[in-house]
Amino acid sequence: MFQIQTIRNDFPALHQKVYGKPLIYFDNAATTHKPKPVINAVNEMNSLINGNIHRAFHYLGNVCTERYEEARETVRAFLNAPHTDEIIFTAGTTSAINMAAFSFGERYVGEGDEIIITEAEHHSNLVPWQLLCERKNAVLKVLSVDDDGRLQTEKLPQLFSKKTRLLCIAQASNVLGIINPIREIVATAHAHGVPVLVDGAQGVVHGGIDVQDADCDFYVFSGHKLYAPTGVGVLYGKRKWLEEMPPYQSGGDMIASVSLTHTTFNTLPLKFEAGTANFTGVYGLKKAIEYIQNVGLSAIHDYEQTLVRHAVQLMQTIQGLHIYGTAAPKTTVLSFNIDGVHPTDAAQMLDKMGIASRSGHLCAEPLMHRFHTQGMLRFSFAFYNTKEEITATVTALDKIKKMLI
Ligand code: PLP
């Protein structure tokens, strides 16, 4: 049984008031709140268990190193990656993609080569590839979406050429919520000899991934969207690529030996982890993964889908409200507009009622152009939200609409 009150009690942030109103937090696609086990783990690290990892031969350094490396194993198992050294800790999705774009790009992308992205990418999975293409004089090709927000995968085969070096695609859109058929897309790309990077920022928290089953070459995600602390994320990469790719940043920990004129590099995964890692955040990530595994990923999924169905049903009663991305399957993201209502006006009015939503271009300007709008309003639910919160919010939205039109 899914014990919503017990779950809510684990998240202190949910019990605060904003502007004197009880908080309703529907901006979970941007960042999620943290449960007590994560908060306690981070507090313990900050107040007691603090010693630099991989270098100190003293008790605290050893405990921190053990916790950091245990977390790597937790992440490996969570993604079902074959090898622990394929898990690189980063500062988040954006830094993982930049790492891949720089390092993969240095090694494998040259003049006239091609990278494929989609029209539905977050800027974080678009701009680093644009910059790489500018640096290398390479070409960025784009897979489009249809009016329902579905990727036009039937057009994918014609985008590949002998010059295609990589396909970069979100597991789920942060705007449309649509979950892409990653396994099929990866199979198509591999049939053309092209590796695939999957941006799991919105997917990891709604169903996760089995990277061996998906067979993707790279997978990235952020901790803070998975109930973990900010400033921690993951780049998974198949060994065969990571071993060939040059280091991204350089400094301590990523070296094997250094002289004044020459450096040799550490083996995986440390080759990609220059400087003091965010070992506190990484330990928090471990605790967050354990927490959601304890609640149960399929229980979370089923409960979240009841929230989405409830929200869609109520939102459809508001005249002039259009939800973008109607193709299934979807995460808990619902982006929409109401005829005659500016999304940011509505978001600001909701905010004053204690309701946190998101508005604007949602870090996906090309998708805004695709749907001929400058911005959208977005609700994104987590498994600590309730149907009562949704009912109250949609009622508030209806009132706002009547006030603004
Ligand atoms: N990719 C997607 C699909 C996202 O939704 C986001 C954040 O919203 C990112 C990348 C960037 O994540 P971060 O800001 O944690 O690096």
Side-chain angles (χ1 to χ4, degrees):
M1 268 299 282
F2 196 81
Q3 299 290 348
I4 183 66
Q5 275 317 323
T6 314
I7 285 167
R8 286 181 69 81
N9 286 340
D10 284 339
F11 289 84
L14 300 178
H15 305 284
Q16 64 188 302
K17 291 188 170 175
V18 293
Y19 311 112
K21 311 269 170 22
L23 172 69
I24 295 180
Y25 187 79
F26 286 166
D27 196 17
N28 295 286
T31 195
T32 51
H33 292 301
K34 326 301 172 202
K36 281 178 193 162
V38 171
I39 296 166
N40 293 343
V42 169
N43 281 346
E44 187 205 25
M45 296 289 277
N46 281 330
S47 51
L48 292 172
I49 311 296
N50 182 52
N52 210 332
I53 57 170
H54 296 147
R55 59 198 86 187
F57 290 99
H58 55 67
Y59 177 80
L60 289 177
N62 289 342
V63 176
C64 288
T65 303
E66 269 166 30
R67 288 184 175 190
Y68 186 79
E69 293 305 331
E70 279 167 20
R72 204 188 301 276
E73 171 53 24
T74 303
V75 172
R76 183 209 64 74
F78 183 56
L79 302 182
N80 193 29
H83 310 291
T84 311
D85 62 8
E86 295 174 317
I87 306 298
I88 315 289
F89 287 119
T90 68
T93 304
T94 304
S95 78
I97 295 174
N98 275 279
M99 181 184 287
F102 177 86
S103 181
F104 185 92
E106 276 306 293
R107 175 72 179 77
Y108 295 106
V109 180
E111 186 164 349
D113 285 342
E114 296 166 2
I115 309 263
I116 303 176
I117 55 158
T118 88
E119 204 174 9
E121 298 311 309
H122 187 281
H123 295 159
S124 288
N125 199 27
L126 162 55
V127 182
W129 305 113
Q130 264 178 1
L131 293 181
L132 170 65
C133 288
E134 273 173 30
R135 279 199 307 276
K136 297 285 178 173
N137 240 334
V139 179
L140 200 60
K141 288 182 151 182
V142 181
L143 180 66
S144 49
V145 299
D146 68 15
D147 290 343
D148 297 331
R150 196 187 57 85
L151 278 182
Q152 294 182 309
T153 45
E154 65 284 1
K155 293 189 178 165
L156 185 57
Q158 69 212 45
L159 287 181
F160 293 112
S161 81
K162 286 203 168 67
K163 299 230 151 217
T164 313
R165 295 289 165 260
L166 189 67
L167 166 65
C168 307
I169 182 168
Q171 186 180 7
S173 160
N174 65 306
V175 175
L176 306 170
I178 294 172
I179 301 168
N180 293 318
I182 292 299
R183 204 195 300 137
E184 291 74 6
I185 289 170
V186 170
T188 307
H190 285 178
H192 291 82
V194 173
V196 180
L197 178 141
V198 177
D199 171 357
Q202 297 295 335
V204 72
V205 65
H206 300 294
I209 192 149
D210 177 331
V211 291
Q212 292 191 67
D213 180 58
D215 201 22
C216 52
D217 297 83
F218 300 97
Y219 185 82
V220 298
F221 69 91
S222 298
H224 71 98
K225 296 181 196 288
L226 190 70
Y227 312 100
T230 41
V232 58
V234 167
L235 167 69
Y236 155 79
K238 286 183 180 169
R239 255 186 195 166
K240 68 169 179 179
W241 301 114
L242 294 178
E243 273 174 352
E244 294 276 313
M245 286 159 50
Y248 172 47
Q249 291 185 320
S250 50
D253 229 19
M254 53 75 73
I255 55 93
S257 94
V258 181
S259 75
L260 284 177
T261 51
H262 185 67
T263 297
T264 55
F265 303 120
N266 214 329
T267 49
L268 292 176
L270 300 186
K271 178 172 93 171
F272 289 105
E273 294 181 359
T276 297
N278 179 4
F279 54 88
T280 303
V282 163
Y283 187 56
L285 175 61
K286 173 180 163 64
K287 292 290 167 185
I289 291 172
E290 288 169 354
Y291 181 85
I292 55 170
Q293 285 176 329
N294 221 13
V295 177
L297 294 182
S298 76
I300 290 176
H301 173 265
D302 293 349
Y303 176 75
E304 285 181 344
Q305 286 302 315
T306 65
L307 294 181
V308 173
R309 279 195 295 275
H310 182 67
V312 170
Q313 212 174 15
L314 291 184
M315 287 162 77
Q316 278 168 347
T317 63
I318 298 185
Q319 264 206 340
L321 186 152
H322 314 279
I323 296 176
Y324 297 92
T326 46
K330 293 206 8 156
T331 63
T332 65
V333 165
L334 293 173
S335 297
F336 59 96
N337 266 313
I338 304 175
D339 293 342
V341 174
H342 194 287
T344 299
D345 290 345
Q348 282 172 345
M349 291 172 79
L350 285 170
D351 177 48
K352 293 289 181 291
M353 299 171 170
I355 301 164
S357 64
R358 172 81 195 272
S359 70
H361 57 52
L362 309 183
C363 295
E365 279 193 65
L367 204 55
M368 298 299 124
H369 297 153
R370 168 66 183 80
F371 286 102
H372 313 293
T373 181
Q374 293 202 321
M376 298 178 185
L377 189 56
R378 182 181 75 185
F379 296 154
S380 51
F381 310 122
F383 64 93
Y384 47 56
N385 291 128
T386 65
K387 282 189 182 176
E388 291 72 25
E389 289 179 313
I390 290 170
T391 306
T393 300
V394 178
T395 308
L397 193 60
D398 202 25
K399 268 194 208 142
I400 288 170
K401 180 197 147 186
K402 288 174 181 144
M403 284 160 74
L404 288 176
I405 295 184

